[in-house]
């Protein structure tokens, strides 16, 4: 138990620096790692090397995949494919099923797009539907945003799930398939079902949205093109994973094509042609997006780098294995414990990405010592990282200000939706674990 105190002090310092001091997360992680290393008795001359190794080891396997995911999502957004998917689903399901259409839209668009991009892109669509249908804005928004949030927390190629897969040695394709199984019922309950209780909440949207959003459909890509390209990474990862399960003798040949780096690179190259060159845009025009996407993803990469530093300090000090044994001795199911660790960090720090990758570093030894399915642990931690969004989360304030809500109504809608996602997500992970 003695070595737990330095770990708790390091996590407490991390929380204090980010939440109260507003220190940039990478710097906060490095400071917390230094303190943890000194308190755990790591020789001073080995500390810088341990921090550099942790950053390099974690980023080395992730940076290309995450960056490719960012530029792929940017192209999906800039080409109009995301808007085409949204309008196509709305037209197909009709005015009576707008909440269902928005739920599916949030989930499908949320797979290739990062959360903030999807939020900014799709919220104007919600207000255009409010103007046309007269339905309450919050009740329409919650199903869509629940889909975006679940994709962000549970599914590769989003940064937190990708980082967790690497940290606890899970399989990207299997995690994706399990994630979809868990995500669908979670989305139904936390999205359209929960939204039925929000019809009386009155939104006062920002002035720029009050007249609705006019979308020019003339230049948008076709529906099949948009769906097929946006979902290509999921289709490739899912197909190769299922084929490997059905035909173990093909594992060697499939190893290359199922590698996340290869999957994301192929998906991006296809998107460059189908959503760029084939739509009459020049290669120079298409290549303007990656630079912007890299700038947007840089802060997330730095968070993941910092989490790698703290994880390596725990390994170098020898406390990692001890921590795993101590966590395993607690009278709590390992998946629930991973969820709890992520939940506590999420409540303290606000950021789902920080909560997920930090919890992954702490819980990783538990995965190996307990024998729990690492793919399910990724999902349990992902569910915990979405819990209880409140005033220290940027998503909370984006939702409040875009919809012009009071704090009370924001807690009643946004915070409760995120909490339902976290709770139901864990429940369905536990149910899935019973059948595996």
């Amino acid at each position: 138990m003695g070595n737990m105190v330095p770990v708790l002090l390091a996590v407490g310092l991390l929380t204090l620096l980010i939440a109260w001091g507003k220190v940039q997360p990478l710097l906060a992680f490095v400071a917390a790692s230094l303190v943890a290393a000194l308190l755990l008795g790591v020789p001073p001359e080995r500390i810088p090397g341990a921090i550099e190794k942790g950053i390099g080891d974690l980023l080395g396997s992730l940076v290309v995949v995450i960056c490719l995911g960012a530029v792929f999502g940017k192209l999906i957004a800039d080409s109009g494919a995301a808007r085409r998917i949204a309008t196509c689903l709305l037209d197909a399901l009709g005015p009576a099923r707008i909440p269902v259409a928005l739920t599916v839209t949030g989930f499908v668009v949320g797979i290739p797009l990062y959360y903030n991009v999807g939020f900014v892109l799709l919220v104007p669509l919600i207000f255009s539907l409010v103007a046309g249908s007269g339905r309450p804005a919050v009740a329409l928004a919650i199903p869509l945003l629940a889909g975006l949030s679940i994709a962000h927390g549970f599914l590769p190629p989003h940064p937190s799930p990708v980082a967790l897969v690497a940290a606890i040695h899970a399989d990207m394709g299997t995690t994706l398939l399990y994630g979809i199984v868990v995500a669908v019922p979670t989305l139904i309950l936390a999205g359209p079902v929960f939204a039925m209780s929000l019809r009386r909440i009155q939104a006062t949207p920002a002035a720029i949205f009050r007249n609705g959003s006019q979308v020019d459909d003339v230049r948008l890509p076709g529906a099949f093109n948009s769906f097929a390209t946006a979902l290509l990474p999921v289709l490739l990862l899912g197909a190769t994973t299922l084929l490997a399960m059905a035909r173990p003798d093909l594992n060697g040949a499939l190893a290359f094509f199922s590698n996340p780096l290869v999957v994301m690179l192929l998906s991006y190259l296809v998107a460059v042609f189908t959503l760029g060159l084939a739509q009459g845009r020049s290669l120079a025009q298409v290549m303007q997006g990656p630079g912007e996407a890299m700038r947007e993803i840089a802060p997330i990469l730095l968070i993941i780098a910092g989490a790698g530093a703290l994880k390596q300090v725990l390994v170098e000090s020898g406390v990692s294995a001890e921590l795993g044994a101590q966590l395993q001795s607690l009278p709590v199911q390992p998946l629930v414990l991973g969820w709890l660790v992520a939940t506590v960090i999420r409540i303290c720090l606000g950021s789902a990405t920080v909560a997920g990758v930090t919890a992954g570093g702490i819980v990783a030894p538990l995965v190996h010592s307990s024998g729990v399915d690492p793919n399910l642990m990724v999902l349990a931690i992902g569910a915990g990282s979405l819990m209880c969004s409140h005033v220290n989360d940027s998503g909370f304030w984006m939702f409040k200000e875009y919809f012009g809500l009071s704090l009370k109504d924001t807690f009643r809608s946004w915070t409760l939706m995120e909490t339902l996602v976290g709770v139901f997500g864990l429940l369905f992970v536990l149910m899935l674990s019973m059948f595996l």
Side-chain angles (χ1 to χ4, degrees):
M1 189 66 185
N3 281 338
M4 282 292 290
V5 175
V7 175
L8 292 175
L9 287 174
V11 174
L13 176 62
L14 179 69
T15 302
L16 187 67
L17 290 174
I18 295 177
W20 178 76
K22 308 301 179 187
V23 175
Q24 201 279 334
L26 174 62
L27 301 179
F29 268 112
V30 170
S33 301
L34 284 169
V35 170
L38 291 171
L39 292 177
L40 290 168
V42 178
E45 66 274 12
R46 286 174 48 199
I47 294 175
I51 291 175
E52 292 169 3
K53 176 176 169 52
I55 291 173
D57 285 355
L58 192 51
L59 276 187
S61 61
L62 300 180
V63 66
V64 178
V65 174
I66 292 176
C67 288
L68 283 170
V71 298
F72 177 76
K74 181 72 173 172
L75 184 51
I76 297 295
D78 289 348
S79 67
R83 285 187 303 188
R84 172 62 77 191
I85 290 169
T87 54
C88 180
L89 288 169
L90 289 166
D91 291 342
L93 292 172
R97 297 184 180 87
I98 288 178
V100 177
L102 288 173
T103 303
V104 179
T105 298
F107 187 62
V108 172
V109 172
I111 292 173
L113 262 62
Y114 291 132
Y115 185 85
N116 288 348
V117 176
F119 188 106
V120 172
L121 184 70
L122 293 177
V123 162
L125 173 67
I126 293 172
F127 289 119
S128 70
L129 292 172
V130 169
S133 67
R135 293 178 180 238
V138 173
L140 288 182
I142 285 296
L144 184 144
L145 297 177
L148 287 176
S149 185
I150 287 171
H152 172 70
F154 291 2
L155 303 181
H158 287 271
S160 182
V162 169
L164 283 169
V165 165
I168 62 179
H169 306 294
D171 177 76
M172 192 83 73
T174 306
T175 298
L176 176 63
L177 292 177
Y178 289 175
I180 292 173
V181 171
V182 169
V184 171
T186 301
L187 178 55
I188 292 170
L189 294 172
V193 173
F194 171 60
M196 290 190 291
S197 69
L198 304 176
R199 292 172 179 168
R200 294 185 180 180
I201 294 181
Q202 297 298 314
T204 308
I208 191 173
F209 299 125
R210 287 177 190 161
N211 294 322
S213 173
Q214 301 301 319
V215 178
D216 179 13
D217 286 349
V218 177
R219 297 175 59 85
L220 298 183
F224 177 80
N225 185 4
S226 299
F227 276 96
T229 305
L231 294 176
L232 186 57
V234 174
L235 297 174
L236 288 175
L237 270 175
T240 52
T241 301
L242 289 174
L243 189 56
M245 291 177 178
R247 294 285 304 275
D249 55 303
L250 296 178
N251 281 351
L254 290 172
F256 175 78
F257 292 102
S258 62
N259 184 282
L261 187 153
V262 175
V263 167
M264 290 311 304
L265 183 58
L266 287 174
S267 299
Y268 179 61
L269 292 176
V270 170
V272 166
F273 178 76
T274 59
L275 299 179
L277 303 180
Q279 302 299 313
R281 300 168 66 191
S282 69
L283 186 61
Q285 289 174 319
V286 175
M287 288 299 117
Q288 289 176 357
E292 296 177 24
M294 296 297 183
R295 287 192 291 272
E296 292 169 1
I297 202 65
I300 295 175
L301 288 173
L302 294 178
I303 290 171
I304 294 171
L310 182 58
K311 175 178 179 289
Q312 189 61 33
V313 163
L314 299 182
V315 173
E316 290 278 339
S317 65
V319 76
S320 187
E322 181 183 334
L323 188 60
Q326 291 175 349
L327 289 174
Q328 188 178 358
S329 69
L330 295 175
V332 181
Q333 212 268 11
L335 294 172
V336 177
L337 195 56
W339 178 86
L340 279 172
V341 172
T343 296
V344 170
I345 299 173
R346 161 71 157 176
I347 292 171
C348 293
L349 298 181
S351 167
T353 302
V354 174
V357 296
T358 307
I362 294 173
V363 175
L366 173 65
V367 176
H368 308 306
S369 63
S370 67
V372 68
D373 189 325
N375 305 293
L376 294 179
M377 182 60 84
V378 170
L379 300 178
I381 292 173
S385 74
L386 297 175
M387 284 286 292
C388 302
S389 169
H390 61 97
V391 295
N392 61 0
D393 179 19
S394 61
F396 177 95
W397 294 105
M398 287 175 67
F399 183 78
K400 178 186 182 301
E401 296 305 319
Y402 267 70
F403 289 85
L405 300 177
S406 65
L407 279 173
K408 176 184 175 182
D409 285 339
T410 308
F411 281 115
R412 166 76 177 84
S413 52
W414 169 265
T415 302
L416 190 50
M417 178 273 287
E418 290 280 82
T419 302
L420 289 173
V421 166
V423 171
F424 285 122
L426 175 66
L427 289 177
F428 288 118
V429 167
L430 293 174
M431 291 174 63
L432 181 59
S433 71
M434 297 168 61
F435 294 97
L436 296 175

